[in-house]
Amino acid sequence: MSKIISYVELETLPIATFFGKSREIELYGRFFDEVIDWVSCDILIAPALELAAEYCLGAIDALHICAAKYFGAEFISAEKPTKPIYQAYSNISSIYED
């Protein structure tokens, strides 16, 4: 298991587990099973630190944005569009957008 999986699981699973959201937990499980490439945390740490300092991001948000940038992927956020994470990456969408 790659280190990055632990970060992603730490970000997504605890709240779903605490509130017993079995459908959400199942969705995350299917997602993790289908991922074919994980970027090494070693590659992400330095740019995440810079990004976090520049945009006032939390550690996990900075790691997620750096991973999305690394793969050129769209980032889907559960943060409201007013949060700083939206300034840090141009290919980001919110679950709150219409």
Side-chain angles (χ1 to χ4, degrees):
M1 180 186 291
S2 170
K3 286 190 241 175
I4 193 68
I5 293 173
S6 298
Y7 287 115
V8 176
E9 287 177 335
L10 183 60
E11 179 75 6
T12 58
L13 288 173
I15 293 173
T17 301
F18 180 84
F19 288 107
K21 296 182 175 187
S22 57
R23 289 180 60 203
E24 189 172 334
I25 294 166
E26 181 183 334
L27 170 76
Y28 294 140
R30 286 194 323 262
F31 172 81
F32 296 134
D33 289 344
E34 294 296 320
V35 172
I36 56 173
D37 196 8
W38 294 93
V39 63
S40 168
C41 287
D42 298 337
I43 293 171
L44 299 177
I45 297 297
L49 180 59
E50 290 178 20
L51 201 66
E54 183 176 350
Y55 293 100
C56 193
L57 300 177
I60 298 296
D61 285 345
L63 286 167
H64 288 317
I65 292 297
C66 285
K69 284 183 174 186
Y70 180 86
F71 286 109
E74 178 182 13
F75 186 86
I76 308 295
S77 177
E79 299 282 346
K80 295 199 175 180
T82 56
K83 298 293 184 172
I85 196 169
Y86 290 87
Q87 303 303 311
Y89 189 52
S90 61
N91 192 10
I92 186 169
S93 299
S94 172
I95 63 170
Y96 297 104
E97 292 177 344
D98 296 326

